[in-house]
């Protein structure tokens, strides 16, 4: 049977941010491929026997994509220190076990998943440091790119840590499905031995796995990679009793190591990135996590970068946020760039949560178009959001970010989740 869903406004989420009035999508029940996108009445005429749903005041758009989230830290409330990256990392190292060692671990992960679905998120880039959230995510309705994170700088522990990440990847591969993609993450240039990093990059190239890394997040990281001193000098002394530790990479050599990757490479945060470095990572999609960046580093990704380089958006984990609601994240971002035209910014942000999220994670969704996955949401409002400004531009993208709360319909993988 063919199903048609339509709404008063449809956000296609292509580069031009096309908006259809009274548009819709058609697909075959349980087949994860959009048949047609277009005018609702024309679709109904074409597929006469289809099952039809139309939401007059609704907005139909691709399910949102939370491109960077750590579900494992969902139990965190207020044990980590905010306002300075070094203080945050010290507090995380000191309290990590308490936060992770939670009797109710399973329900914490489930709550994080529910929070995604309730905010209209259909796909996530889940960074996992330990692997304990793997099964729950693989069996959840979410479409998940599951990044098994590698971390470790001490040469004597590398063999163990490398074997551990490979083991987690092997387990993730057993769970592979249309909605669960095994992948790898390199935690960051400051925390990862280059021998292990190099091997993992080669694995990603040969097996075509998505790769994610935290990159140039803090002034401390910049000072370490370029100046070889500052906070991380003390960090390695305290952590491993190393005198005169040296960074493993320069920012440039880290990017050069990633240059063979062509498929789904994401670099998260990048608050300190320069134009020269951006030129070196044309193969990557950036991911910004505005609230995490404000809390740990007192900064937002510069607007010029958001505007000129494809950038996805994520909530990061509760380890650096008050919740993992992507709509709240978009609202914060809307207020973070007062210099930008607010309607243009709204469109850029919605694309960061759809089109560019899909690019970052290597997914076949994030846009409403023929042959894309049947991943869509409808949000209903008590009145139409259509409103034009003096230049006759539809302000619905802005009003959507301000007012969207929870979808009335949510389909992932052609299945109704809400
Ligand atoms: O994205 C934020 C800030 N930057 C780095 N790491 C993390 C973030 N949120 C959680 N983390 C985790 C990371 O996955 O914190 C630990 C790792 O498990 C840091 S250990 C040096
Ligand atoms: Fe993170």
């Amino acid at each position: 049977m063919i199903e048609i869903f339509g709404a008063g406004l449809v956000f296609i989420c292509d580069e031009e941010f096309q908006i259809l009035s009274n548009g819709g999508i058609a697909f075959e029940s349980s087949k994860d491929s959009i048949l047609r996108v277009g005018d609702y009445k024309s679709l109904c005429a074409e597929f006469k026997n289809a099952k039809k749903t139309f939401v007059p005041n609704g907005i139909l758009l691709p399910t949102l994509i939370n491109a960077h989230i750590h579900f494992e830290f969902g139990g965190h409330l207020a044990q980590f220190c905010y306002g300075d990256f070094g203080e945050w990392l010290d507090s995380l190292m000191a309290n990590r076990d308490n936060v992770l060692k939670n009797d109710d671990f399973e329900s914490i992960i489930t709550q994080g998943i529910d929070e995604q679905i309730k905010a209209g998120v259909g796909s996530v880039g889940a960074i996992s440091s330990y692997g304990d959230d793997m099964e729950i995510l693989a069996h959840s309705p979410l479409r998940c790119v599951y990044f098994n994170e590698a971390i470790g700088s001490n040469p004597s522990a590398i063999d163990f840590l490398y074997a551990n990440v490979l083991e987690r990847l092997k387990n993730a591969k057993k769970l592979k499905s249309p909605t669960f993609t095994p992948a790898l993450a390199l935690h960051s240039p400051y925390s990862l031995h280059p021998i292990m990093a190099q091997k993992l990059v080669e694995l990603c190239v040969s097996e075509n796995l998505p790769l994610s890394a935290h990159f140039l997040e803090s002034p401390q990281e910049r000072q370490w990679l370029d100046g070889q001193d500052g906070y991380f000098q003390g960090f390695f002394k305290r952590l491993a009793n190393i005198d005169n530790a040296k960074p493993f990479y320069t920012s440039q050599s880290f990017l050069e190591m990633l240059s063979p990757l062509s498929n789904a490479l994401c670099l998260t945060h990048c608050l300190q990135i320069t134009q020269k470095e951006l030129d070196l990572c044309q193969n990557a999609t950036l991911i910004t996590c505005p609230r995490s960046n404000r809390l740990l580093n007192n900064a937002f990704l510069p607007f010029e970068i958001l505007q000129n380089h494809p950038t996805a958006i994520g909530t990061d984990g509760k380890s650096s946020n008050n919740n993992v609601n992507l709509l709240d994240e978009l609202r914060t971002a809307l207020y973070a760039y007062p210099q930008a035209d607010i309607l243009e910014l709204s469109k850029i942000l919605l694309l960061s949560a759809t089109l560019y999220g899909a690019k970052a994670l290597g997914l076949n969704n994030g846009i409403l178009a023929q042959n894309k996955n049947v991943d869509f949401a409808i949000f209903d409002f008590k009145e139409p959001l259509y409103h034009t400004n003096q230049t006759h531009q539809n302000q619905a993208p802005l009003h959507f970010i301000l007012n969207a709360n929870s979808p009335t319909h949510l389909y992932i993988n052609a299945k109704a989740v809400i």
Side-chain angles (χ1 to χ4, degrees):
M1 189 185 45
I2 306 289
E3 296 189 49
I4 301 174
F5 282 85
L9 290 176
V10 175
F11 294 168
I12 299 291
C13 294
D14 58 346
E15 298 268 0
E16 288 72 41
F17 210 91
Q18 277 190 73
I19 301 177
L20 305 183
S21 293
N22 300 318
I25 67 168
F27 58 95
E28 207 173 313
S29 295
S30 305
K31 267 210 172 165
D32 192 22
S33 182
I34 295 178
L35 275 177
R36 203 87 78 240
V37 180
D39 178 65
Y40 181 75
K41 278 193 180 147
S42 309
L43 291 176
C44 293
E46 184 178 351
F47 303 105
K48 292 208 172 50
N49 299 322
K51 184 177 164 210
K52 305 175 188 76
T53 308
F54 187 79
V55 184
N57 293 341
I59 294 204
L60 165 64
L61 77 175
T63 51
L64 303 180
I65 299 175
N66 189 348
H68 184 97
I69 172 169
H70 305 248
F71 285 94
E72 288 166 329
F73 288 93
H76 174 251
L77 192 67
Q79 283 156 282
F80 302 156
C81 191
Y82 292 152
D84 175 84
F85 182 77
E87 289 188 32
W88 174 79
L89 194 52
D90 289 344
S91 70
L92 181 130
M93 300 303 277
N95 297 307
R96 179 169 53 178
D97 292 348
N98 287 345
V99 169
L100 295 167
K101 198 166 30 74
N102 207 304
D103 295 341
D104 232 0
F105 185 80
E106 212 174 304
S107 78
I108 284 168
I109 305 299
T110 307
Q111 272 169 39
I113 293 169
D114 284 350
E115 200 172 349
Q116 303 313 300
I117 291 167
K118 289 209 177 90
V121 168
S123 307
V124 293
I127 313 294
S128 172
S129 310
Y130 305 94
D132 300 328
D133 51 356
M134 184 186 301
E135 294 261 350
I136 311 176
L137 280 162
H139 297 125
S140 83
L142 288 176
R143 204 182 283 278
C144 176
V145 178
Y146 189 79
F147 292 101
N148 294 283
E149 186 172 67
I151 194 164
S153 49
N154 187 342
S156 64
I158 290 301
D159 287 346
F160 169 79
L161 294 168
Y162 182 64
N164 176 270
V165 73
L166 288 188
E167 178 71 16
R168 285 185 277 136
L169 179 65
K170 192 175 98 191
N171 292 337
K173 283 179 180 168
K174 288 186 203 146
L175 295 164
K176 189 177 157 117
S177 77
T179 56
F180 189 79
T181 306
L184 283 170
L186 308 180
H187 175 258
S188 71
Y190 57 83
S191 62
L192 198 67
H193 198 283
I195 294 178
M196 171 152 74
Q198 187 64 49
K199 283 190 187 172
L200 294 172
V201 169
E202 282 161 19
L203 195 63
C204 284
V205 172
S206 67
E207 299 190 7
N208 220 5
L209 302 175
L211 183 83
S212 168
H214 295 100
F215 185 58
L216 289 178
E217 178 179 9
S218 62
Q220 289 87 338
E221 182 176 342
R222 168 61 80 198
Q223 199 182 355
W224 180 235
L225 299 183
D226 286 358
Q228 317 207 328
D229 62 8
Y231 164 82
F232 280 105
Q233 194 65 253
F235 177 83
F236 287 112
K237 173 77 187 152
R238 286 195 303 281
L239 192 76
N241 201 24
I242 304 173
D243 287 311
N244 282 317
K246 288 271 175 290
F248 298 125
Y249 319 84
T250 61
S251 51
Q252 189 167 333
S253 72
F254 189 77
L255 290 176
E256 278 161 5
M257 177 178 74
L258 302 179
S259 64
L261 291 157
S262 52
N263 160 51
L265 167 63
C266 19
L267 296 175
T268 302
H269 303 317
C270 299
L271 293 172
Q272 297 287 323
I273 206 163
T274 61
Q275 188 55 50
K276 192 171 158 227
E277 288 154 348
L278 271 173
D279 294 341
L280 281 175
C281 58
Q282 294 300 321
N283 58 335
T285 306
L286 306 191
I287 302 179
T288 190
C289 303
R291 289 182 293 172
S292 171
N293 292 162
R294 171 62 184 96
L295 291 171
L296 307 195
N297 288 292
N298 310 307
F300 295 112
L301 186 72
F303 179 65
E304 295 66 42
I305 299 182
L306 193 63
Q307 195 178 27
N308 297 320
H309 199 101
T311 302
I313 191 165
T315 57
D316 221 341
K318 274 201 69 193
S319 29
S320 54
N321 214 332
N322 59 318
N323 66 31
V324 286
N325 181 323
L326 193 68
L327 292 166
D328 285 347
E329 202 66 50
L330 290 169
R331 285 187 266 276
T332 298
L334 194 63
Y335 293 104
Y337 299 101
Q339 75 276 38
D341 175 86
I342 198 156
L343 182 55
E344 279 318 301
L345 175 62
S346 303
K347 294 178 191 175
I348 290 171
L349 290 174
L350 284 172
L351 292 185
S352 75
T354 53
L355 186 67
Y356 298 133
K359 184 175 181 341
L361 302 179
L363 295 173
N364 186 36
N365 60 14
I367 177 170
L368 298 178
Q370 201 172 7
N371 299 330
K372 293 286 173 179
N373 293 141
V374 182
D375 288 6
F376 70 91
I378 302 177
F379 290 76
D380 196 11
F381 299 92
K382 70 175 192 315
E383 59 189 49
L385 295 193
Y386 189 90
H387 212 288
T388 51
N389 63 12
Q390 277 137 334
T391 52
H392 304 289
Q393 290 194 62
N394 185 346
Q395 288 206 321
L398 167 59
H399 292 297
F400 177 85
I401 293 180
L402 289 173
N403 294 296
N405 186 10
S406 210
T408 51
H409 301 78
L410 184 84
Y411 272 66
I412 302 171
N413 190 30
K415 294 188 186 81
V417 177
I418 295 182

